Amino acid sequence: MSPRHKPRIERHLVALPEQDRYLRFGYAATDEQIGRYVASLNFDRDEIFGVFNRRLQLVAMAHLAYSVDPQWATCAEFGVSVSPHQRGKGLGAKLFGHAVMHARNQGVSLMFIHALSENVAMLKIARQAGAVVQRDGTESEAYLSLPQATLDSQISGLVQEQMAEVDYQLKMQAHQFREWLRTVQEIRQGVRDARGAARGP
């Protein structure tokens, strides 16, 4: 995604219930705190991935944050959120797999996930990917070592990005067509109503 998607990102995060905000951020973030988080997103440095429904509503998003410390230049942190009504479809796992592929192709060798120990869904995704999970009371940390990029992984990454862009553009066109059709129908209804009023009882 790009900076133009910030309004959709904020709408998605603000719509999360309090418990989901708590699991995503580690605290029950307020609307204002979410707004500051969205405003601070660095699209030049980090990668933000999203899943849109056919109405172009953002229903899942992931943030792959690269280290700003040169000492940890080959490390990245992953965070994800999925709208409650979209759970159970594997969207979080798909975004995680996409992030792993992208991070690997960017030279990242260690992916890091910091999550509350009660965030079972996130930790399950990490474990299924082969991450080592260390629990420390109410918090857990997962580490996933990534293999070096290969020509195959780079091609797969490019194909994934192109398919995601095509999918978004198709949804955008369908959304615009539905909006146009709705407008046409409203105009036609207005004309019919006007004709009926002109004819009178």
Side-chain angles (χ1 to χ4, degrees):
M1 292 194 289
S2 65
R4 78 177 192 273
H5 293 116
K6 279 188 175 184
R8 286 192 174 96
I9 292 173
E10 187 163 354
R11 279 196 296 272
H12 163 71
L13 293 173
V14 166
L16 293 175
E18 184 176 340
Q19 178 66 9
D20 289 354
R21 297 184 187 196
Y22 174 66
L23 293 177
R24 171 61 182 87
F25 295 103
Y27 61 95
T30 64
D31 291 356
E32 291 74 20
Q33 289 168 325
I34 287 174
R36 288 196 292 271
Y37 163 77
V38 174
S40 71
L41 289 174
N42 188 330
F43 290 84
D44 292 326
R45 183 192 67 223
D46 299 340
E47 299 291 341
I48 293 89
F49 310 109
V51 177
F52 296 85
N53 65 14
R54 64 185 188 87
R55 294 186 298 277
L56 291 184
Q57 295 168 331
L58 185 64
V59 296
M61 69 160 288
H63 183 182
L64 182 64
Y66 295 102
S67 173
V68 294
D69 187 337
Q71 182 181 354
W72 307 103
T74 59
C75 298
E77 183 178 7
F78 175 83
V80 67
S81 57
V82 179
S83 298
H85 62 286
Q86 294 289 334
R87 304 269 165 76
K89 299 180 179 179
L91 298 182
K94 287 178 182 177
L95 285 171
F96 184 74
H98 186 72
V100 166
M101 175 76 71
H102 199 88
R104 179 183 174 191
N105 289 335
Q106 294 300 313
V108 171
S109 61
L110 187 67
M111 216 156 119
F112 169 76
I113 299 165
H114 181 86
L116 295 172
S117 296
E118 60 191 279
N119 194 344
V120 178
M122 184 69 254
L123 296 176
K124 181 182 178 182
I125 290 172
R127 284 194 180 95
Q128 288 180 337
V132 175
V133 178
Q134 297 178 343
R135 180 170 179 165
D136 183 14
T138 60
E139 298 184 355
S140 293
E141 294 179 346
Y143 304 89
L144 180 64
S145 295
L146 305 183
Q148 286 189 340
T150 63
L151 179 60
D152 183 58
S153 72
Q154 291 174 340
I155 291 173
S156 295
L158 288 172
V159 169
Q160 282 184 5
E161 288 181 17
Q162 289 174 349
M163 287 178 63
E165 181 61 27
V166 168
D167 180 68
Y168 180 79
Q169 291 301 327
L170 287 174
K171 286 177 179 174
M172 173 73 80
Q173 290 173 7
H175 178 73
Q176 290 172 342
F177 176 74
R178 284 194 298 271
E179 290 298 313
W180 174 81
L181 194 59
R182 186 178 297 114
T183 301
V184 169
Q185 290 170 342
E186 288 175 356
I187 291 172
R188 286 176 177 169
Q189 186 59 48
V191 169
R192 284 194 291 268
D193 292 346
R195 284 175 179 167
R199 284 195 294 267

